[in-house]
Amino acid sequence: MWNVLLSFSGLVALIQLLFLPSFPESPPYLLLQKGDKAGCLKAMKQLWGEGNYQTEFDDLMKEKAVTKGTKIMNVLEVLKEPSVYPQLSTMLLLLLSLQLCGLKIFQTANLHESIIPYVSLGVAISELISIIFCSSIIDRFGRRILLWGGYLLMALILVLLETSLLLSDQFLWMRYCSVILIFLFIIAYGIGP
């Protein structure tokens, strides 16, 4: 029944994709990252309804003033910072433990048992690539565009994956297409949602 589970996540992604355009950007993101004061106030009103949000806006302005001299670190600088090692090691352990799940989809794709661990390792590398790539582009494009694009890519990849799994018994090369599509799905998920 894994294909029903996979389809369910695609359905949830589709619902989120349909409603995403109606949501505003995060007010802190608009003010602190983009410097858009009017957009921040507009987003507050859209999220919380009409009212006076001057106190919240002033708090964000204070936070902006405090963080003005703070340097935004890139991925390599974060990796060199010893204070984040506990969080990074926890995240890496979580990612590695996730690799023990999902072997069934590779068996369904009729892959030989001997190459499944290598494919699973490839999935972990795909996740790592997507995390590094996303963290370096999120400030440039914003969360909305990454979510939008990620969900669109995920929906397309799920359709192609289901098709390749259905055809994997007829065409041997479709097995490898399934694996590539799984890698692409993980990268699209990591970059977007």
Side-chain angles (χ1 to χ4, degrees):
M1 300 292 291
W2 68 264
N3 51 351
V4 175
L5 272 164
L6 191 62
S7 300
F8 181 73
S9 65
L11 178 66
V12 172
L14 181 65
I15 291 169
Q16 290 177 348
L17 186 62
L18 292 174
F19 288 105
L20 185 63
S22 64
F23 292 107
E25 287 283 358
S26 163
Y29 170 76
L30 288 170
L31 184 64
L32 301 176
Q33 299 292 326
K34 296 278 189 173
D36 184 4
K37 294 179 184 179
C40 175
L41 287 171
K42 181 181 174 189
M44 284 179 175
K45 288 179 182 175
Q46 191 175 357
L47 286 170
W48 302 324
E50 290 298 322
N52 186 4
Y53 301 110
Q54 193 61 41
T55 306
E56 290 85 358
F57 185 78
D58 290 341
D59 288 341
L60 286 174
M61 289 300 289
K62 288 176 189 174
E63 184 178 341
K64 184 175 182 174
V66 168
T67 59
K68 187 175 185 178
T70 305
K71 181 185 175 211
I72 297 175
M73 298 168 66
N74 63 29
V75 176
L76 290 176
E77 291 170 338
V78 169
L79 291 175
K80 292 177 184 176
E81 180 63 39
S83 65
V84 298
Y85 288 164
Q87 294 89 345
L88 283 175
S89 60
T90 303
M91 190 168 70
L92 285 174
L93 282 173
L94 179 63
L95 287 173
L96 291 174
S97 67
L98 285 173
Q99 298 317 302
L100 300 174
C101 307
L103 295 179
K104 182 69 176 165
I105 194 168
F106 299 131
Q107 291 169 342
T108 304
N110 294 323
L111 294 176
H112 296 290
E113 291 283 331
S114 61
I115 65 168
I116 289 177
Y118 299 108
V119 174
S120 188
L121 179 64
V123 169
I125 292 169
S126 299
E127 288 176 346
L128 188 62
I129 288 170
S130 66
I131 289 169
I132 291 170
F133 187 68
C134 179
S135 62
S136 63
I137 65 170
I138 195 166
D139 289 333
R140 186 174 306 143
F141 295 105
R143 292 184 180 120
R144 175 177 291 209
I145 291 174
L146 292 180
L147 283 170
W148 223 167
Y151 281 129
L152 280 173
L153 275 173
M154 286 168 54
L156 175 67
I157 291 168
L158 284 175
V159 169
L160 294 173
L161 179 61
E162 185 65 31
T163 305
S164 70
L165 287 173
L166 290 173
L167 296 174
S168 66
D169 288 332
Q170 296 171 349
F171 305 102
L172 293 178
W173 56 270
M174 281 295 211
R175 299 174 183 179
Y176 302 103
C177 288
S178 299
V179 172
I180 292 169
L181 288 168
I182 291 167
F183 289 171
L184 292 175
F185 180 84
I186 291 167
I187 291 171
Y189 178 79
I191 290 173

